[in-house]
């Protein structure tokens, strides 16, 4: 089999490529390099620079590389940006997916893994979020992921394509420093960025109904997430695979924002007290996955803890920001 990985030069995508090539899967990457970095990829992995909105390019790539399965990670993913630019998010996230699925159907691709998000749930008031929880996204980014799931399932039914939607919770860490997250959009790099600049980490609200008043989240190591993708592709490649599967990818354990910032201080040696600011609209008090279905269906479980996430993220941050080591 040959798997096309869209967005494969990105932070998560490069980890998926690493997991799959280590397992001797044959892959080809499509990435427009707007956020991806070509140097993250092994030298023997073909990289096609381009967008999933380009139907002509997709047709050529699927044919030339004899693609039999697709892992679709390419998407815009900044919540705030999605609020400011909803049309762009629908065009790229949903439009790009529609173009890709149409090309896949035309090429006879029978297996499709879709990168979804816990953002599809919105703010459910439950201790553990199962895949059967109602979906009520509170921002355009989450809406595009939910619409993407609908589209993937519809295409699967129409074209006999076996599909899997993976709903990521909060991703952190790095399998190796060179693959670390270079963006400053997720909480761990955001805290590291502020500490590097001599500024206090920020906590948005400390009056939530949680043990320490700060939001509680489920953090998943990016290497565990990549292994979940490998497990999903292996399941789709099995003779008995059919229909659609939707799975949470998380650890099933909650960590508060304050606990995470404290841990980052321990790892970096910078214990600058956090600055408490007003709540941000739309933040749920608690969002923790039930990961039981993924364990059952994929025989997959997260193996790495939060300290390992922070330590590996810090090593990656030091590689990409040498000045941080001199503070």
């Amino acid at each position: 089999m040959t798997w096309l990985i869209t967005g494969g030069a990105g932070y998560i995508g490069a980890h998926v490529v690493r997991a799959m090539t280590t397992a001797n899967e044959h892959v080809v990457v499509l990435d427009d390099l707007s956020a991806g970095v070509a140097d993250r990829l092994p030298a023997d992995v073909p990289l096609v620079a381009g967008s999933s909105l380009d139907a002509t390019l997709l047709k050529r790539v699927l044919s030339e590389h004899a693609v039999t399965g697709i892992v679709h990670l390419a998407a815009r993913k900044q919540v705030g940006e999605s609020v400011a630019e909803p049309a762009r998010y629908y065009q790229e996230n949903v439009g790009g997916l529609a173009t890709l699925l149409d090309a896949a159907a035309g090429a006879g691709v029978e297996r499709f893994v879709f990168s979804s998000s816990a953002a599809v749930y919105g703010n459910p008031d439950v201790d553990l979020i199962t895949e059967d929880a109602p979906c009520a996204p509170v921002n355009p980014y989450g809406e595009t992921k939910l619409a993407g799931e609908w589209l993937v399932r519809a295409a699967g039914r129409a074209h006999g394509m076996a599909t899997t939607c993976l709903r990521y919770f909060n991703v952190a860490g790095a399998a190796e420093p060179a693959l670390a997250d270079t963006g400053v959009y997720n909480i761990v790099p955001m805290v590291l960025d502020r500490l590097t600049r001599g500024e206090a980490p920020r906590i948005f609200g400390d009056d939530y109904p949680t043990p320490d008043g700060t939001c509680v989240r489920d953090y998943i190591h990016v290497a565990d997430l990549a292994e979940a993708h490998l497990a999903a592709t292996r399941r789709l490649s099995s003779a008995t695979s059919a229909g659609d599967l939707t799975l949470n990818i998380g650890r099933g354990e909650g960590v508060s924002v304050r606990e995470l910032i404290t841990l980052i201080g321990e790892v970096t040696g910078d214990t600058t007290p956090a600055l408490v600011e007003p709540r941000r609209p739309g933040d749920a008090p608690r969002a923790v996955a039930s990961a039981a279905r993924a364990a059952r269906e994929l025989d997959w479980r997260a193996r790495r803890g939060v300290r390992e996430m922070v330590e590996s993220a810090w090593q990656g941050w030091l590689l990409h920001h040498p000045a941080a080591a001199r503070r």
Side-chain angles (χ1 to χ4, degrees), residues 7-317:
Y11 164 53
I12 294 173
H15 280 87
V16 174
V17 169
R18 177 183 182 273
M20 294 186 67
T21 54
T22 299
N24 296 317
E25 296 286 349
H26 187 240
V27 305
V28 57
V29 168
L30 175 73
D31 199 302
D32 67 6
L33 301 179
S34 60
V37 180
D39 288 346
R40 286 176 169 148
L41 299 175
D44 59 348
V45 170
L47 168 62
V48 179
S51 167
S52 55
L53 286 161
D54 187 338
T56 301
L57 176 64
L58 291 174
K59 183 178 180 180
R60 176 172 64 80
V61 170
L62 294 174
S63 173
E64 288 183 358
H65 294 275
V67 170
T68 51
I70 296 173
V71 180
H72 182 51
L73 297 106
R76 303 202 68 82
K77 61 178 185 177
Q78 297 177 43
V79 170
E81 184 182 62
S82 79
V83 174
E85 302 180 62
R88 182 183 187 188
Y89 268 66
Y90 273 86
Q91 180 184 31
E92 296 195 24
N93 290 6
V94 182
L97 173 60
T99 304
L100 178 61
L101 285 167
D102 188 52
V109 174
E110 296 181 345
R111 301 163 184 85
F112 197 97
V113 178
F114 176 58
S115 164
S116 189
S117 168
V120 301
Y121 294 117
N123 297 331
D125 186 17
V126 293
D127 285 340
L128 289 178
I129 302 172
T130 71
E131 292 85 351
D132 298 320
C135 291
V138 297
N139 53 65
Y141 167 69
E143 292 168 2
T144 65
K145 286 300 184 181
L146 182 57
E149 290 188 7
W150 295 339
L151 183 54
V152 166
R153 295 185 194 111
R157 291 190 299 269
H159 304 295
M161 193 182 301
T163 62
T164 298
C165 298
L166 301 180
R167 293 173 174 171
Y168 309 170
F169 279 66
N170 298 68
V171 185
E176 55 187 77
L179 298 184
D181 191 357
T182 55
V184 187
Y185 309 114
N186 299 319
I187 185 170
V188 174
M190 287 174 67
V191 172
L192 295 177
D193 179 61
R194 290 186 69 84
L195 293 176
T196 298
R197 291 188 283 115
E199 300 176 3
R202 293 185 295 178
I203 294 175
F204 295 99
D206 64 351
D207 57 350
Y208 286 94
T210 60
D212 66 13
T214 67
C215 293
V216 172
R217 295 290 182 266
D218 189 332
Y219 296 94
I220 177 79
H221 196 295
V222 66
D224 282 328
L225 176 62
E227 289 167 6
H229 284 77
L230 174 62
T233 61
R234 291 280 172 85
R235 187 183 189 279
L236 288 178
S237 300
S238 68
T240 57
S241 179
D244 170 73
L245 191 62
T246 300
L247 302 171
N248 289 336
I249 304 298
R251 295 173 60 247
E253 299 178 15
V255 178
S256 77
V257 171
R258 190 176 293 280
E259 288 173 329
L260 183 64
I261 290 176
T262 298
L263 179 56
I264 292 171
E266 293 174 4
V267 169
T268 64
D270 188 334
T271 57
T272 302
L275 176 65
V276 177
E277 298 187 359
R279 293 186 182 190
R280 294 181 301 189
D283 275 348
R286 178 180 173 87
V288 179
S290 167
R293 185 178 293 180
R296 183 173 66 250
E297 296 288 349
L298 301 182
D299 192 25
W300 168 91
R301 292 169 179 79
R303 299 185 292 114
R304 300 162 179 87
V306 179
R307 178 172 287 275
E308 187 171 350
M309 296 179 214
V310 171
E311 289 175 344
S312 62
W314 176 231
Q315 291 306 309
W317 186 265

